[in-house]
Amino acid sequence: ACTASVRGSSGINAEYGHYYITNNLSSKMVNIPKLRRTFCKYEGCKCHTQHKVTQYKAGKRNPKALGERRYKMKQRGYGGQTKPVFKRNAKTTKKQVLRLECQTCHKKTQLSLKRCKHFELGGQKRKKGQMIQF
């Protein structure tokens, strides 16, 4: 049985006191708690449950994948580099992706955030007027 939590309009969960990403927050530093109570859409849950939050990391590239094999075949022999190599990186930030794992059914979902300069997972909450330390 699920119990709904009270959530204010300012983006603060009244039950846990966590800060959620809203439009009025700065894009410089983001601090996300390691546990988050959010909706699980899968069968068996379909309600708000506790989720474990981790940062998404891309997996190891498979050398047997079709694109990789095709690229290797094209690169063979004379002729140098056949595909364009990206050199001018215009962006200074990356979009962060959270991986949420439900604590009851252990299903995983992904949640993308906006761009931010610094991303912290499970850091200490800042008091008002406190300096940022890296």
Side-chain angles (χ1 to χ4, degrees):
C2 295
T3 57
S5 66
V6 182
R7 186 170 173 188
S9 61
S10 63
I12 300 170
N13 188 331
E15 190 176 343
Y16 291 100
H18 292 158
Y19 284 92
Y20 288 88
I21 306 303
T22 53
N23 291 340
N24 57 359
L25 290 179
S26 168
S27 65
K28 292 180 178 163
M29 171 106 183
V30 176
N31 184 12
I32 303 284
K34 285 189 177 179
L35 283 175
R36 178 172 176 168
R37 193 161 184 271
T38 188
F39 187 76
C40 180
K41 65 180 181 179
Y42 294 102
E43 286 295 325
C45 280
K46 289 214 185 279
C47 61
H48 278 72
T49 55
Q50 199 68 273
H51 282 69
K52 190 168 80 175
V53 181
T54 51
Q55 193 174 3
Y56 167 78
K57 181 176 172 269
K60 200 172 111 180
R61 293 181 63 84
N62 185 2
K64 294 176 185 169
L66 179 62
E68 203 69 40
R69 287 181 284 149
R70 187 182 287 139
Y71 178 71
K72 287 265 197 254
M73 283 299 291
K74 197 169 184 180
Q75 286 292 94
R76 282 177 65 176
Y78 297 110
Q81 182 67 35
T82 58
K83 289 261 189 190
V85 178
F86 189 66
K87 286 179 181 170
R88 289 189 207 165
N89 195 0
K91 302 279 189 281
T92 58
T93 58
K94 285 191 173 176
K95 290 181 180 178
Q96 299 297 332
V97 178
L98 300 180
R99 193 163 166 265
L100 306 169
E101 183 185 349
C102 180
Q103 300 287 60
T104 55
C105 67
H106 299 287
K107 298 270 187 180
K108 293 157 191 79
T109 53
Q110 289 183 339
L111 174 72
S112 62
L113 302 178
K114 293 182 177 179
R115 294 184 178 276
C116 59
K117 293 263 186 191
H118 300 284
F119 178 78
E120 197 176 347
L121 195 62
Q124 291 181 344
K125 287 179 97 173
R126 265 198 320 135
K127 305 283 190 278
K128 196 165 187 173
Q130 187 180 358
M131 292 278 293
I132 300 174
Q133 296 170 342
F134 299 110

